[in-house]
Amino acid sequence: MANIKSAKKRARQAVKRNARNSSARSMLRTSIKKVVNAIAAKDKPAAEAAYKAAEPVMDRFSSRGLIHKNKASRHKSRLSAHIKALA
């Protein structure tokens, strides 16, 4: 355990940050999974609605640095291509 005051503070901040990032990452994965499940069920309206909800989540967390911007772009591109292919 840390003995120096600033190191103790850093440890507390790391715990808070870890909890926030874990929660956000879980939210991101859930929103992507909703789109994937709708695509698997071949439900185009539900997939489009889920994608519309997931897109700003991906953009938000990529701008905050939780995920890389290219990863967000890759997910958006692939999901939208799958939705278009449903027809």
Side-chain angles (χ1 to χ4, degrees):
M1 184 62 201
N3 291 322
I4 297 167
K5 189 176 180 181
S6 61
K8 288 178 182 178
K9 182 176 178 179
R10 278 285 169 206
R12 287 195 310 270
Q13 288 175 330
V15 170
K16 282 184 188 175
R17 229 178 257 119
N18 182 267
R20 187 183 307 128
N21 287 339
S22 297
S23 174
R25 204 174 298 114
S26 174
M27 179 183 170
L28 176 70
R29 288 179 184 151
T30 302
S31 63
I32 292 170
K33 205 175 291 181
K34 284 179 183 174
V35 181
V36 170
N37 290 341
I39 291 168
K42 300 203 185 315
D43 188 357
K44 191 170 183 176
E48 287 173 341
Y51 179 78
K52 198 170 278 193
E55 189 177 17
V57 173
M58 287 186 267
D59 288 335
R60 187 178 328 126
F61 292 136
S62 68
S63 69
R64 291 180 186 173
L66 190 72
I67 58 169
H68 197 276
K69 65 183 180 72
N70 290 356
K71 180 175 181 172
S73 295
R74 184 173 67 243
H75 276 299
K76 290 190 291 187
S77 174
R78 289 179 182 172
L79 290 174
S80 62
H82 281 300
I83 291 170
K84 285 179 184 171
L86 285 177

